[in-house]
Structure formats: C-alpha cells, structure tokens
Amino acid sequence: MTDSQLLTTTETSLAVIETIQERDGATPAELAATLDLSESTVYKHLHTLGKHGYVVSNGDTYRLGGRFYHFGMYVRNRSKIYELAGKYVIELAEQSNEESDFGIEENGRIVTLFDSVGSSATPSSRLNNYEFMHTTAIGKAILARLPPSRIDQIIDRWGLPQLTEQTITSRAALDDELARIRERGYAINDQESIPGKRVAGVVAEDPSGSIIGGFTVSGPAYRIEDDDLYREFPDILRRVVPEFETELDSQGLI
C-alpha cells in the first residue's frame, strides 16, 4: 500500500545515506547502480547533503560526514537517565572485565547509546549501533516484556533477517526463546548478531515497571564459557542494574 504522506525526494536522500553507510563509502556510479537512479539524480542528492555537512567526498568516493556524530551525541546526552546509564555501563565492564552496553528500543530496533570494556577485555569493534531486536540480548529481553500485538508489529515491519547461522528466523522459535527469557529473567545472544560474540542482557525499568532500556555484558566465544554466559554475567547484571534503577529513583530522574 502506498503511503501518501511520504516524500519521495526525502526517501531517496535517506536511501543514499544508508547505502553510503552500508558500503562504507560509495561513488556516484555505485550509488546509482545500487539504487536504480540516474547519476545526475544521485549527484543532486550528494550535493545537497554535502552542502549541509552530511556527506564528504574523497575523490570520487563519498562518506558520511561528522555532522551525524553531532546528532548522535545529542541523542545520547539529551536525557539525564541516559547519562546515568553510561556510568553503570562502565561499572558493569569493570566488574565483568568484559564489554558492556546500554541500549534503548526505538521504532522496533535497538539503538546502542553507550559501551565500555574492562581493562583486560578486547577493545570494542562495534560497527552497528542500530540493530534488529530478535538478534540482540537487549532486544530479546525487551520483546519478552511486550504484548504479542506489539511483537507482531515489529516483525511485520522488520522481519526476522538472518545475520549468522545462530540467528532466530521463525516466529515459533522466537516465541519459545521469549518464554525462556520470561522464566529465567535474562536474555542471551549466543553469536546471533555477530559470529564469535556471546552476550547476556536484562531490561532496566522505572518504579512503575515501564522499560527504560537494557544492559548487557558480553565477551568473545573463545573465552566465554557457558558458566560465564548463563551464571556469572546474569549475576553481575542482576546485582548492578537494580543499583541503576535505585539511583534513578533517588535522583528524581523518573
């Protein structure tokens, strides 16, 4: 069904931006071929985006500009709640000596706002801060708290794309996984979004029970054993995340 409220020109500019990001840079010819547009049309969009700092060129190759970082930092720092979450991400990383993240759900996707690594952990190589819910520990922990109608909406919009051999790709399997999460109180992402990365995650909520976002602890599969993933990581999260929730309440941030 056609959405009469959509502006085609804006949609094309967004497609150009997303394609540049996905390809880690692209020439006008590559963009034209990928998006099935004429090069002259692509040039107009690139010129407009470049004028406002959203893309930069290096020879014939265009990349996303630093202005996106400016907006990203604004989103991350617009709330005192998110600022406080950043403090607890560092705490989780230090206690686990592994990597920790804090993310929120927006429009059926997970946006990672903060990440930190412990002193002996491998530096984070995160490339994607906008992820599918069914592939992440934060996403699955949140999905487990949502009504079936909302889960239906998210899947109808984004599907269940496969990112690795371990990714859940059927609604039946997802429902089974969400039932396990409700029973044990935490979610697992065992190499479902990135090969070689094992993650445990829980939701954070306000006193009324509304979800604020989620925290994770993660590490590489060559080092993280099942006991780490299913016992140690959840224990750390269960200990630290309530401290975050208590401090939110005591500071009057919620």
Side-chain angles (χ1 to χ4, degrees):
M1 181 182 296
T2 302
D3 189 340
S4 61
Q5 300 301 310
L6 290 177
L7 290 174
T8 302
T9 302
T10 305
E11 285 243 295
T12 301
S13 288
L14 291 172
V16 168
I17 290 168
E18 291 170 357
T19 303
I20 291 173
Q21 187 271 329
E22 290 167 0
R23 298 177 65 96
D24 192 25
T27 66
E30 290 169 341
L31 290 167
T34 301
L35 299 173
D36 195 24
L37 299 169
S38 68
E39 285 196 43
S40 62
T41 297
V42 169
Y43 271 116
K44 290 177 182 178
H45 286 275
L46 291 172
H47 177 75
T48 304
L49 292 167
K51 179 180 179 181
H52 294 280
Y54 294 105
V55 300
V56 294
S57 62
N58 181 8
D60 289 336
T61 300
Y62 285 79
R63 302 187 185 279
L64 300 188
R67 193 167 186 188
F68 283 105
Y69 181 78
H70 166 76
F71 285 116
M73 291 300 292
Y74 165 77
V75 170
R76 193 176 82 164
N77 298 326
R78 69 187 174 193
S79 167
K80 294 294 184 181
I81 294 174
Y82 298 160
E83 288 186 19
L84 185 62
K87 165 187 168 182
Y88 280 88
V89 166
I90 294 172
E91 176 69 17
L92 285 165
E94 289 178 347
Q95 289 203 24
S96 66
N97 215 12
E98 296 292 348
E99 182 174 355
S100 175
D101 296 337
F102 171 78
I104 60 173
E105 181 264 325
E106 283 191 345
N107 299 314
R109 298 287 288 269
I110 295 300
V111 181
T112 301
L113 299 182
F114 291 94
D115 67 85
S116 181
V117 295
S119 59
S120 66
T122 303
S124 176
S125 58
R126 172 178 295 280
L127 297 176
N128 189 2
N129 287 61
Y130 188 61
E131 299 179 273
F132 296 106
M133 294 186 72
H134 73 291
T135 68
T136 67
I138 291 175
K140 289 193 288 183
I142 293 175
L143 284 172
R145 299 281 296 275
L146 299 180
S149 59
R150 177 58 179 146
I151 298 173
D152 289 339
Q153 291 174 350
I154 291 170
I155 294 175
D156 287 346
R157 180 171 184 181
W158 300 110
L160 296 170
Q162 184 170 6
L163 303 185
T164 75
E165 292 183 356
Q166 308 304 319
T167 304
I168 292 172
T169 58
S170 76
R171 179 60 186 271
L174 179 62
D175 286 342
D176 289 344
E177 176 75 353
L178 298 182
R180 285 190 288 270
I181 293 167
R182 295 183 192 104
E183 181 179 351
R184 67 193 178 202
Y186 63 90
I188 294 296
N189 163 12
D190 195 356
Q191 306 187 67
E192 297 163 53
S193 57
I194 301 173
K197 186 171 185 178
R198 308 187 84 188
V199 191
V202 300
V203 297
E205 59 186 32
D206 65 21
S208 71
S210 296
I211 295 171
I212 297 167
F215 290 90
T216 66
V217 175
S218 63
Y222 68 82
R223 186 168 67 235
I224 304 306
E225 305 290 343
D226 284 353
D227 189 58
D228 300 314
L229 187 64
Y230 289 94
R231 186 187 63 80
E232 183 177 347
F233 286 0
D235 285 351
I236 293 171
L237 289 162
R238 290 193 188 104
R239 183 170 63 247
V240 174
V241 174
E243 296 175 6
F244 163 74
E245 295 169 336
T246 298
E247 187 168 353
L248 280 178
D249 194 19
S250 66
Q251 290 192 19
L253 298 179
I254 46 179

